[in-house]
Structures are given as structure tokens and as C-alpha cells.
Amino acid sequence: MKAASKFLSAASAAALSAALVVPGSLAVQFVATSAAEAAVVSRVEVSGNQRVDADTIRNYITIKPGKAFSSSDIDAAIKALFGTGLFSDVQINQVGSTLVVKVAEYKVVNQVLFQGNKKLKDNALQAAVQLKPRGTFSQATLDGDVESVKAAYKRIGRDDAGVTAQVMDLGDNRVNVVFQITEGDRTQIAAINFVGNSAYSSRRLSDIINTKRSSWVSFILRDDVYDDDKLRADQELLRRFYYNHGYADFQVVSAVGELDSATNKYTVTITVQEGDRYTFGDISVESTIPEVDAKSLESVVETHKGDVYNAKNVEDSIIALTEKVAGSGYAFAQVTPRGDRNFENHTISVVYTVDQGTKAYVERIEIRGNDRTRDYVIRREFDVSEGDAFNQVLIQRAKKRLENLNYFEKVDISTVPGSQPDQVVLVVDVVEKSTGEFSVGAGYSTGGDTAGPSVEGSITERNFLGRGQFIKVSAGGGKNSRDYSLSFTEPYFLGRRIAAGFDIYQSTRQYKNNYNSDTTGATIRFGLPITESISTQLAYNISREKYELDDGCGTPTIGDPDGPNCTISPAILDGIDQSPWIKSSISLGLVYNTIDDMKNPHEGIYATTTAEFAGLGGDAKYVKLTGRGSIYQTLSEQLDLVGLISGGAGHVQGYGGDGELRIFDQFQSTDRMIRGFAYGGIGPVDPVTGDHLGGTTYFNASAEAQFPLPVVPESFGLRGAVFADAATLYGSKVTSVAQESTDLELRASVGVGLMWASPFGPIRIDYAIPVKKQARDDVQEFNFGISTRF
């Protein structure tokens, strides 16, 4: 019993103790918590700072002496100090009535230096790294900069470049950062292989993409650099190409580049799945807007039943429909195409549905990445401004315009929510690229008024001072010529989409029949786009032309038997005797261009016509009309065979008096008119001297087939051609001499050509044999020069 009593007494004592102790402990805990949540200090002490003033640090935190604070205030103070980017470590503790703020400052970068770099200049590498002089240093940023420098070298084809970083302590919390670079050898692309393609040859697909196989011209073009981003862009180019040629199910299965470390060369393999080729089925327009008549919209649709399916035509139809409906007062209208595939007959029927769309406005346009290009140069490519209705079609059109400027390596446009539910912010991210060029070139031409070897040097800037202006200064010449020119173009004159510019030039020529010319002139021009494919240009031209005989030919006095010792037509002597001539004219041109690729055309039309009226003062008085058109069409996709039909015509008519013309204002034949004949080698002729005097009217036509050369790698840019030309040049308003061959007489030739898309421009060699000519024609079967057929 006593034992039990003692146990009960002990249990009672323990229970009593627990009853007293537990509440006490809760009370202590409560007091401590309350103190942590509502503390007060008499002062804030800062330590560890070397450059940043203590008062500046105190201002970053919200804890003040004499005011209560909590643990959340301490957390906020630590975050605020870290957020300045000035400190590598921050500690805040309460010691009695003092709040101790201990910081460790980042070191300051004194200099960022690069050693061992030759292929990339210092300024290019400085733009790639985040560490900057007078900025703060952190190891994490340095590690990222090492990778950025490696990436910069990878973009120029030097994947094995080695980069290490050294930090040199200068004292006073300052450091120099030195990047040691071993550039290594340049990587190349050994082969580009396509797998799964049957509709188009690998050679044709190689023309589509920007990544090229290494060749002997790669050191100039630099188009054989392997880059993952570039390869992804190439995949999009392939998709668009197939989608625009009927292959709506096309897919890029994979695209990989494998580096052979032994040879330092990549092998690129692109696997595709072409699918079937489709044509358009039924095309219709539907409208959910009661006031919009769907039937009235069908006329602007650019897709037609029976045509080969073309994604670009679908996009153009969406744009045309959107603009048509928006012009009727429905700014938020949205056009959505709905395709219905018929797998049996391989057709795609398209229904364009016009809806009212969600009402959204552009709150602002935010532009990022344009360190050099001015904001307004980018903004003016948008047909929408802040406050306008948001229109996705117009946004995509602006993106294409920005890409076509050729100022940027990359253009991305995204949207983020605005401050209100019905507002969006357009974010335009651009990556700029070099727009300046300095070039020195040499060439040789067998035709024209500058036949023979020539050299030219030029400085070009496509984005002058970041204002989007074009400026070019050039000088050049050859054995018989000298040329100097200055050109300037403002693409947005007075803030409108009107290109305005001027050209100033001076040229001298030495002609084979012993006389020379000196021409100084200027042109003021205005260009206006009418549609995406049609543009017009208005220009005022003024020039002073002076002609002189060579020293060995005496003085040009008509009728003087002791005059010129050279055999020159009196018509030419008459023109020389009356020089210098002032020509003042106004011209209006119209261009229609739907060519798919101006460098390597396969489909489309290029046509231009010009009317020139001379007589606004000066000595020349005439009206001159010229026109030329070319149609390209792919004849065989598999063989990459392209057909070309072109034609042209011109007529010049003098006015005033008897309508006589100077010999220098008449048309002269060129290789663009007909090949196989010398420059100025057909048409009206002086029967005594044999000089061709040009004509007032010409017609010409040409048919050509272009094809890749077998065996030769496509990366060389060589193509062959066979052609047939026909032309006539007749009529004359030069009355100072009797002439022959003034009537309409046809000439014709056939030949073969070799075209090279060289780094110096398109070079072409033609060998043509006249199959129909006149007795006094001058034949030149071989022609070589830098030229284009446009």
C-alpha cells in the first residue's frame, strides 16, 4: 500500500509539474515569437563594403532605427541588396539593439582583353560577352562568357576553338579579365545528303537551302559554315518550297550534322518525306458577318480550282481578303482557311471563313536587340501603330518586310498581354548583322562600250548610320573606260513608303573608231510600290556629253579635205562637232516582278517598261519607249531544267523641226538584244565607212533552256544553257549621211552558254553562231562578261 501510495504521490507530483511547466514553456515560446515578429533596433551597422557607401546600402533596405520590423522585412532587405547586382554575399543579423548588415562586394572589371584572336576582331568578341569594363565581376558570368566566345567561333566555322579565361587581381577590388583563345582550324561541310526525295533532285534541294557544301569559293562566300540555327532555318525553307509546289503533306523527318573529328568536316543528312502532290479542289468564301457578302470577296482570292496547290497563294488570299474586309469597316475581321483533302484524287478544297474576330488593340510595340538600327526604321515597316486594331496578317507582313531589309540575321515577333484584357504588346526581337561592304573586283568583257579588262572598287552601306539609308561610292575603269559614281537612297521619303534618291556619275569612253566621250550627269529618282509585285519609278535626268577625236585624227571639221585622218562616218563627226550636248529628260518606269529567286530564278515573270521624254531644256529632243519581259518556268523538277522566254522592243521619236536625232540618241545593238553579233554590229550602216549608226526601232526575242552541269558539284554555282535569239534594229533619223539596212531585216542566232553565280557577281559566257545575218553585220561569236538577264 505504501508503495502504491508513493507511486500515486510521485505521479501526482509529475502531473502537477507538467501542468505548471507546459503553460510556462508555451508562454516563453509566445514571447520569443512575438519578439521576432516585432523587433526594434536603435541603429543599422554596415560592414564589408569598400566602394558602395554605407548610407547607400541603408537606403536599399526598409528597416529603420526605432521602427518595428519582422523576419519578412529582413528577407526583403536581403533580396533588395542582391538585386542591385553589386554584392556576392549579404548577411543581416540582429545583435542586441543593432542590426548588422554584412556584405561582400563583387569585384569591378577594369578591362576585358582577348588574346590569340585573329579571325574575330575584339569588337565582335566584346559584343558577345556580358562582362564589361566598369561592370561587376562574377564567376557565373565569366563561365557563360567563355561559352559565348566559343559559340561566336562556331558561327564562323571554327568548332574546335579553345577558350580559357584568366582573372588578374589588380587590388582595390578590381580585376582584369583575359580570354586566351586558340582559334583552331576552320571546319567544313564535306557533303549534304538528302534522303527520301524523289520529286526533286538533291542538287535542286541544295539550291533551296542556305547551308552549302565546301568548295573552292567557300573561303569568299563563307556559306559552308555549319550552324544548328541555320540548319533549322533550312528546314523551314524546304517546307515552304514543297508546300508551294503542291506537296501539302511534306515533312522534314530529321536534319543532323555529324562532325568527323579526324577531318574536321561535317556531313549533313536531311531526311524528308515528300508525300503526294495536290491540286486545288473547290474554292469558296464564307462569311459569318451579316453585312459582308461572301460572293463579293471571291474576286480577290488567288487560289483557283485545278491549279497546283500553293501555300503562298493561300497566304496571299488571306491577306487580300483581310484587307478587303478591313476596308469595309471591319478592322477585327479574321480570315481562316479550312482545307479538305481528298486522298483519292489528290485535291485540296479550301474554304475561307470570314469572322468578326476578337477585339484586341496594340498597346505598344517594344523593340529589342537593335543596338545600331533606329527604332523608327523598324516601326515604319508595320502597317499598325499603337492603338490600332491587332491584325495578325499585317504583323506577318511586317516580319517579312523586316527580313527583306537584309539588316538582321533574325527577326522574331511575339505578343504578350497588355495592361487591359483587350490589349496586347508586340515584342520585336532582332539580331543585327553587318550592312557595310568594301569590295575590290576585276573583270573582263568582250562586248559593250567598255570591252576589255576592268577593275572596280566600291564602298557600300545599306543601313547608313542606322537610318535605313543606302549609300554607295564606286570608282573603276579599264583600258578604254573610267567610271566614278555616288548613289544615295532614302527608302522612306517624308515618312512615307516612297524611295527617293540621287545618282551622280562621271564616265569616259575610248571608242574603237578613234574618238572618245566624257559624260557627267546626275539623276534624281522616286520609287513607289503599288502592290507587292508592281512598282514604279519617276526620275529626272540631266547630263553633259562631250565628244572629241583622238589626237591622231585631226580636227573634226565637216567638209574639210585636210581634216580627220581617221575613217569615221560623217554622222559621227557631225555629233562630235556639235558637242558638248546637254540632255535633260524625265522618265517613268514600271516594274512587274514575281520571280521566285532573283539569283537563281526558276519560276515567275519579270517585266519592265520605261518612257523617257527629253527636251526639258538642253539639246536633245525625243520621246523614247522601251520594254522588256522574261518568263521563267521549271520544265522538269527532277532534272532541274528551267525554260526562259524573253522579249523586248523599243522606239525613239524625235520632235521639233524635222524630228532629226543625234546618232548618240539612237538605239545600238547589244548582247541583251541578240547574241552572236558585236556591240553595235547590226542595223543601219554608213556604206562608205562601215560604221553602224544605230536605229530608231528594235524588236528582239529569245528562248532558252537552263540546266545544271553534270558531275560538277552544285556548290560551284555553275549552270549551262542552250538558246536561240532573234532581233531586228532598223529606222534612222540621222540625215547627215546616206545609209543602208534601214529597213526591217531579221537576224537570228543559236548558241550555248555557261553561267556562274560567282562571288563577284553573275558571270556568263556565251558562244553563239548567227544563222541569219545581213552582209554588213559585224559578227562576234564569243561573248564574256558580268551580266544578268533581268
Side-chain angles (χ1 to χ4, degrees), residues 203-524:
R203 178 188 288 269
R204 178 71 180 107
L205 298 182
S206 295
D207 290 337
I208 302 300
I209 63 177
N210 290 322
T211 302
K212 302 296 182 183
R213 177 184 172 187
S214 298
S215 66
W216 63 279
V217 295
S218 297
F219 76 98
I220 299 175
L221 297 177
R222 299 294 183 183
D223 56 0
D224 64 335
V225 175
Y226 177 81
D227 183 78
D228 290 332
D229 291 338
K230 189 176 180 181
L231 190 58
R232 280 191 287 270
D234 286 340
Q235 294 178 54
E236 181 60 27
L237 291 175
L238 288 171
R239 277 189 286 268
R240 293 193 65 85
F241 173 76
Y242 271 94
Y243 292 164
N244 291 340
H245 289 80
Y247 294 89
D249 296 328
F250 173 81
Q251 294 181 28
V252 177
V253 178
S254 65
V256 294
E258 297 180 356
L259 178 64
D260 185 342
S261 57
T263 61
N264 204 28
K265 293 182 179 181
Y266 276 97
T267 297
V268 178
T269 303
I270 301 175
T271 304
V272 302
Q273 183 176 322
E274 293 178 327
D276 295 321
R277 197 182 197 198
Y278 291 85
T279 58
F280 282 113
D282 294 329
I283 306 295
S284 61
V285 180
E286 295 179 352
S287 174
T288 62
I289 306 174
E291 295 81 3
V292 175
D293 179 26
K295 277 291 183 183
S296 65
L297 300 176
E298 292 180 353
S299 60
V300 302
V301 174
E302 298 188 20
T303 53
H304 306 285
K305 184 176 181 179
D307 290 350
V308 174
Y309 175 81
N310 188 310
K312 183 179 183 301
N313 289 346
V314 175
E315 293 174 1
D316 292 343
S317 297
I318 294 172
I319 293 173
L321 287 168
T322 302
E323 292 180 341
K324 180 78 171 178
V325 177
S328 302
Y330 298 92
F332 300 100
Q334 181 176 347
V335 179
T336 305
R338 185 177 71 251
D340 183 15
R341 281 180 174 84
N342 187 318
F343 296 99
E344 293 181 1
N345 58 18
H346 300 129
T347 61
I348 299 178
S349 298
V350 182
V351 178
Y352 298 95
T353 303
V354 182
D355 298 314
Q356 179 59 56
T358 303
K359 290 187 176 182
Y361 299 88
V362 177
E363 181 174 345
R364 71 177 186 276
I365 300 175
E366 183 178 323
I367 301 171
R368 303 184 302 201
N370 56 320
D371 298 328
R372 182 167 181 268
T373 306
R374 311 292 178 93
D375 272 13
Y376 70 83
V377 173
I378 297 174
R379 290 179 181 273
R380 68 192 183 188
E381 299 300 331
F382 286 82
D383 289 329
V384 295
S385 303
E386 281 90 346
D388 288 351
F390 175 80
N391 189 310
Q392 185 64 44
V393 170
L394 298 183
I395 303 304
Q396 291 302 314
R397 174 181 287 182
K399 183 176 186 294
K400 289 182 180 179
R401 286 174 177 165
L402 289 172
E403 291 171 339
N404 291 337
L405 289 176
N406 202 22
Y407 301 163
F408 311 109
E409 291 182 359
K410 187 178 181 181
V411 178
D412 285 326
I413 302 179
S414 57
T415 59
V416 297
S419 58
Q420 301 294 328
D422 63 343
Q423 294 186 338
V424 296
V425 177
L426 292 180
V427 180
V428 184
D429 289 298
V430 298
V431 178
E432 294 184 309
K433 67 179 180 181
S434 175
T435 56
E437 297 175 359
F438 172 73
S439 64
V440 177
Y444 185 88
S445 175
T446 58
D449 57 2
T450 59
S454 63
V455 295
E456 181 186 56
S458 65
I459 299 174
T460 304
E461 174 55 62
R462 301 191 307 273
N463 188 12
F464 184 59
L465 299 178
R467 301 175 181 271
Q469 298 164 334
F470 174 91
I471 187 169
K472 180 178 181 179
V473 180
S474 65
K479 179 181 178 181
N480 301 312
S481 64
R482 296 289 186 276
D483 293 284
Y484 307 94
S485 67
L486 168 65
S487 297
F488 176 83
T489 302
E490 166 56 63
Y492 275 74
F493 184 61
L494 299 179
R496 299 184 178 275
R497 200 163 286 148
I498 300 174
F502 64 83
D503 306 294
I504 301 173
Y505 60 91
Q506 197 274 335
S507 64
T508 60
R509 296 288 185 270
Q510 175 68 48
Y511 296 95
K512 60 183 180 181
N513 40 6
N514 304 306
Y515 70 96
N516 57 71
S517 68
D518 190 332
T519 304
T520 302
T523 296
I524 300 175

Side-chain angles (χ1 to χ4, degrees), residues 500-567:
F502 64 83
D503 306 294
I504 301 173
Y505 60 91
Q506 197 274 335
S507 64
T508 60
R509 296 288 185 270
Q510 175 68 48
Y511 296 95
K512 60 183 180 181
N513 40 6
N514 304 306
Y515 70 96
N516 57 71
S517 68
D518 190 332
T519 304
T520 302
T523 296
I524 300 175
R525 47 187 163 72
F526 298 90
L528 175 66
I530 300 174
T531 68
E532 291 295 316
S533 56
I534 301 175
S535 61
T536 184
Q537 179 170 294
L538 177 67
Y540 172 72
N541 318 280
I542 186 168
S543 63
R544 179 183 182 272
E545 303 173 14
K546 184 177 181 180
Y547 295 85
E548 293 180 340
L549 287 174
D550 288 349
D551 294 338
C553 291
T555 303
T557 304
I558 305 301
D560 182 1
D562 299 322
N565 299 317
C566 303
T567 304

Side-chain angles (χ1 to χ4, degrees), residues 44 64 78 157 441 637 755 782:
V44 177
K64 305 298 180 185
I78 292 174
E637 303 284 8
M755 298 170 290
F782 179 77

